[in-house]
Amino acid sequence: MELPEKLLFAIFLILSVAIDGTKADTMLTGTVICDQCKDGQRSLYDYPVNGAKVTLSCSDSNGQVTMSREETTNWFGSYTMRFDGAPDLGGCSAHVSGSNNRQGGPMSCGEGAGPAQNPRLMFRMFDMEMYAVDPLLAQPSQPMQYCSTSSNPSPPPPISSPPPHFNLPPMIFPEASACPSQKWTMPEYECYWRGVNRDTKVGVAFGMVAARRYGTDMTLWYGLKGRGDPYRTLLREGITALLNSYNSIQFSYHPLGVITHMNYALMGSTRDVLVTAYHFMRANSGAGNVSCKFTSCN
């Protein structure tokens, strides 16, 4: 009898912890996005910010700071903080506190910042914890010119009927949408593939680290069918997360965030692979409160 995928994953996780030992370890991850329209929302105009300083501050009941940690985002706009032991980060807050980008210009995204965010506990087992922070916003001094100045912008003019035998691709979901890997293999949802296609090589989508692990010829379509191995499970859920991130502005990960978390996992231990796969799997399933917004392409 074939074991359910989640049960297999739990077995892999237990084995990896047994192999790596039970040393307590806590990880916090997040992404900084340039909010070019200064509207507090993620939009198609936004991009990850490299060199942004993120500060995590924790206070006691009297408001006294008990712990503070600073990290700088990488080229993918992501940051990771590691802590010894298992501190409770639930009452802490993370905010953009500055920038290491000394060149200025539009890519520096100014020095403004959106609201602070509280870490959310995503996973806890065997004294190992994983926290995630919702995307933090960096903001330019002024909104970009192409942003709407109205709080209730007029809808765009209707699109004329497409020519015969031509199907317009579906719009990117402005609301949160999360679809599991099985949905992405169904032919009736093929039109939602954007940014990459079925024949895109894994190494092209995720970089040289992934190419060394999975080979230069493996396609995303083949990788979506991976089963029964921690690294194949990571690849399947990573591909699914990448596809979801291209289709929903409010998905848990930005496309570059998916890529950087994938690479971090592949360069780490088996436990890193399993934890990242679980993190992706949870996001792809909607974490119990986000549904898949697909409708048939036909």
Side-chain angles (χ1 to χ4, degrees):
M1 180 181 297
E2 183 178 358
L3 291 175
E5 184 69 24
K6 290 186 177 180
L7 179 58
L8 282 172
F9 181 81
I11 294 173
F12 288 141
L13 182 60
I14 293 171
L15 289 176
S16 70
V17 172
I19 292 172
D20 290 345
T22 57
K23 179 181 178 181
D25 185 28
T26 298
M27 180 186 301
L28 178 144
T29 62
T31 306
V32 176
I33 304 295
C34 181
D35 178 19
Q36 293 206 86
C37 293
K38 296 193 70 174
D39 57 1
Q41 305 290 330
R42 292 177 61 184
S43 71
L44 296 178
Y45 303 120
D46 299 342
Y47 60 85
V49 181
N50 169 40
K53 293 181 180 179
V54 176
T55 298
L56 178 75
S57 299
C58 306
S59 304
D60 59 21
S61 57
N62 296 321
Q64 298 296 317
V65 175
T66 58
M67 181 175 63
S68 180
R69 183 75 63 86
E70 184 179 85
E71 190 58 69
T72 302
T73 59
N74 59 21
W75 284 102
F76 303 110
S78 297
Y79 61 92
T80 300
M81 298 180 184
R82 293 180 181 272
F83 304 84
D84 293 331
D88 181 7
L89 304 181
C92 305
S93 63
H95 65 279
V96 177
S97 54
S99 173
N100 280 340
N101 191 331
R102 301 177 181 275
Q103 298 177 353
M107 292 304 289
S108 67
C109 200
E111 298 295 333
Q117 299 286 355
N118 299 111
R120 294 178 290 110
L121 180 63
M122 304 299 295
F123 178 83
R124 175 185 288 154
M125 181 177 287
F126 299 104
D127 294 327
M128 181 177 63
E129 297 180 342
M130 169 75 76
Y131 284 86
V133 177
D134 289 340
L136 297 172
L137 301 180
Q139 297 175 327
S141 58
Q142 296 294 330
M144 298 296 100
Q145 294 182 353
Y146 42 74
C147 296
S148 172
T149 57
S150 171
S151 59
N152 296 301
S154 301
I159 301 175
S160 58
S161 300
H165 308 298
F166 179 79
N167 293 322
L168 289 173
M171 295 294 291
I172 294 176
F173 297 117
E175 70 275 22
S177 173
C179 303
S181 59
Q182 298 88 336
K183 293 278 189 180
W184 289 102
T185 61
M186 295 180 179
E188 60 265 38
Y189 303 133
E190 183 177 1
C191 61
Y192 288 95
W193 282 66
R194 67 175 83 240
V196 292
N197 59 55
R198 296 184 176 194
D199 295 325
T200 299
K201 299 295 192 291
V202 169
V204 173
F206 292 101
M208 290 303 299
V209 174
R212 286 195 295 269
R213 165 59 62 176
Y214 301 107
T216 57
D217 294 329
M218 182 180 290
T219 64
L220 297 185
W221 180 249
Y222 185 82
L224 268 179
K225 301 177 181 180
R227 293 289 189 279
D229 171 83
Y231 287 90
R232 292 295 301 276
T233 299
L234 171 67
L235 180 60
R236 184 191 70 237
E237 296 303 324
I239 294 171
T240 304
L242 186 65
L243 292 169
N244 281 321
S245 69
Y246 278 129
N247 277 270
S248 174
I249 294 175
Q250 296 187 37
F251 184 64
S252 301
Y253 294 90
H254 185 276
L256 291 179
V258 175
I259 294 171
T260 190
H261 282 288
M262 183 82 170
N263 280 276
Y264 279 146
L266 291 174
M267 292 186 292
S269 65
T270 303
R271 183 169 66 175
D272 293 327
V273 169
L274 290 167
V275 169
T276 303
Y278 175 82
H279 205 170
F280 283 153
M281 185 184 296
R282 181 175 172 80
N284 294 330
S285 66
N289 52 31
V290 176
S291 63
C292 180
K293 301 299 191 296
F294 283 172
T295 58
S296 178
C297 299
N298 300 324

